Amino acid sequence: MNTTIMWIMAAGAAAGGLDRICGNRLGLGKRFEEGFMLLGATALSMAGIICLTPLLSGLLKQFLVPLWNLSGLDPGILGGILAIDMGGYQLSMELANAPSVGRYAGIVAGATFGCTVTFTIPVGMGMVSRQERPLFARGMLIGLGMMPVSLVMGGLFCGLGIMEILLQSLPLFLLSLMFMAGIRFFPDQMIKGFGYFAAVIGFLTTVGLTAGAAEYMTGFRLLKGLAPIEEAMAVVSSIGVVMLGSLPVAEILRRLLEKPLNWAGQKTGMNGNSVAGLLMGIVSPVPAIAMMKEMDDRGKVVNAAFLVCGASALAAHMGFTFGTEPDLVVPLLLSKLAGGLCGAAAALLLTGQADGSNTSLQKGECDNGNHHKITGA
């Protein structure tokens, strides 16, 4: 199955490259270019943290790991607090007593919980308008509530038993409950808190990138124990290579599934942009969040709930897993999509369709103020 997925991505890269040579007549060449252009942003956001992973691991081993061992928990789960492609995997493997827990925390937890905390929530809260934040926050709440589906499925694929998954994931479940309560009752304070957290991550990334680049160019070590920047860039490059094919493949899927997506929109009471946002979110949460201003209210909640687990499944996260744990590519995709779909389904159940009809929303046009009414949740 891994080989099949890789061949599909390779075919996407070939189609995008050929279309670029022919003048981007089909629009696939543009997606091919976008995949390559994302290399810079990807490296800037994660290379520095990967360089700092040995130092962060040493600090955690000194202060937190002894307490974790006393509690009977594997400290590898601490790495799952960071996104899979922002040092979470490396940190989990450095800290884990059992490799299976390290793989589970770094790949599965990092791609769901870590990605949500370190990227989707701070970026999403910053991108959406103040009027849209309550809807985005409600979707995040629902998605966090469905996250155990993804964690349990992914843990089973990593070779853990159900009771071990529940035990090792207990800190993540408790943190999820805290975030859910904070988003529900103190949304403004949570937005500020995530902003501060994102600033700290950005600071550490810049420090690691600067120190790694200086050591590479001069041989002088600004920080002892730093991971070589070449290793970090190799991980980034593996992600970029997969994105060369995944973005054209996602564009082809969007076109092929246009009619089914419109049909799904009619059945679920969402406009076309809301349904298309789900497909975009599988590639990257950024375009899905950017499209929220064109979605109806129900679609905003459903898309936010889906992003908690489903974000970046077919792009960065799949690319990272190909380069580090290729045997877990299919389990990662299955667990992320299962959690994302459960989040979207729960959001549909907990939200109501608009009272009456709204033709502009049904046609996928922007809503100019007649938002769908959200009930329940």
Side-chain angles (χ1 to χ4, degrees):
M1 188 64 180
N2 291 344
T3 303
T4 301
I5 294 175
M6 186 63 91
W7 273 98
I8 293 172
M9 295 300 108
L18 288 173
D19 189 46
R20 185 172 185 268
I21 291 172
C22 296
N24 193 34
R25 295 180 180 180
L26 301 177
L28 300 179
K30 182 179 179 182
R31 298 302 182 193
F32 179 88
E33 291 179 6
E34 288 175 359
F36 190 81
M37 294 301 177
L38 286 172
L39 271 173
T42 304
L44 192 61
S45 67
M46 63 178 284
I49 287 289
I50 294 176
C51 290
L52 288 177
T53 296
L55 299 179
L56 295 174
S57 175
L59 290 174
L60 290 174
K61 285 179 179 178
Q62 184 175 357
F63 296 105
L64 285 182
V65 169
L67 296 175
W68 231 255
N69 287 329
L70 287 175
S71 68
L73 298 176
D74 193 307
I77 201 68
L78 291 170
I81 297 174
L82 295 177
I84 177 178
D85 51 1
M86 293 177 67
Y89 171 77
Q90 287 82 358
L91 189 58
S92 293
M93 296 303 291
E94 285 271 350
L95 296 175
N97 295 327
S100 58
V101 175
R103 297 169 81 207
Y104 162 68
I107 297 294
V108 180
T112 51
F113 181 85
C115 177
T116 299
V117 173
T118 61
F119 188 82
T120 307
I121 290 179
V123 170
M125 288 294 196
M127 286 181 64
V128 301
S129 67
R130 178 170 289 275
Q131 292 76 18
E132 294 169 331
R133 282 179 183 173
L135 300 172
F136 182 81
R138 177 148 323 161
M140 287 286 111
L141 283 172
I142 296 172
L144 286 169
M146 292 293 104
M147 186 183 291
V149 173
S150 185
L151 293 178
V152 170
M153 181 179 289
L156 292 173
F157 280 122
C158 289
L160 304 180
I162 185 67
M163 294 307 298
E164 187 177 9
I165 295 169
L166 296 177
L167 175 64
Q168 299 298 342
S169 303
L170 185 59
L172 301 184
F173 294 153
L174 293 176
L175 284 173
S176 293
L177 288 174
M178 290 174 56
F179 290 136
M180 291 169 71
I183 293 172
R184 175 66 179 85
F185 297 107
F186 310 103
D188 291 336
Q189 290 84 346
M190 287 297 291
I191 292 171
K192 290 181 180 179
F194 279 118
Y196 293 141
F197 182 76
V200 171
I201 295 296
F203 171 78
L204 292 175
T205 298
T206 304
V207 169
L209 193 58
T210 302
E215 182 175 335
Y216 175 79
M217 290 185 284
T218 66
F220 178 74
R221 290 191 173 184
L222 295 176
L223 295 172
K224 292 183 179 180
L226 202 70
I229 195 170
E230 306 97 293
E231 294 181 5
M233 294 306 296
V235 174
V236 174
S237 297
S238 67
I239 296 173
V241 170
V242 174
M243 286 195 293
L244 286 176
S246 65
L247 295 191
V249 167
E251 178 64 20
I252 293 172
L253 286 175
R254 186 190 67 80
R255 296 178 187 179
L256 292 176
L257 298 176
E258 184 175 0
K259 289 184 178 180
L261 288 175
N262 290 334
W263 176 85
Q266 293 175 359
K267 294 297 182 181
T268 57
M270 298 189 297
N271 66 14
N273 289 317
S274 298
V275 180
L278 296 174
L279 187 58
M280 291 295 101
I282 297 176
V283 178
S284 171
V286 175
I289 295 171
M291 289 173 62
M292 283 190 176
K293 61 180 179 293
E294 301 170 0
M295 300 177 187
D296 55 75
D297 285 4
R298 193 181 204 194
K300 292 170 186 175
V301 178
V302 171
N303 272 266
F306 176 82
L307 288 176
V308 171
C309 292
S312 300
L314 288 182
H317 294 176
M318 183 177 68
F320 182 91
T321 308
F322 263 125
T324 54
E325 297 283 353
D327 291 342
L328 291 181
V329 170
V330 174
L332 173 80
L333 292 177
L334 292 176
S335 61
K336 282 181 67 67
L337 292 177
L341 291 174
C342 284
L348 284 171
L349 290 173
L350 295 171
T351 56
Q353 297 186 35
D355 295 328
S357 61
N358 188 320
T359 55
S360 66
L361 290 179
Q362 292 170 353
K363 293 177 181 178
E365 299 170 2
C366 296
D367 185 7
N368 294 320
N370 298 322
H371 297 295
H372 280 196
K373 181 181 178 182
I374 301 297
T375 60

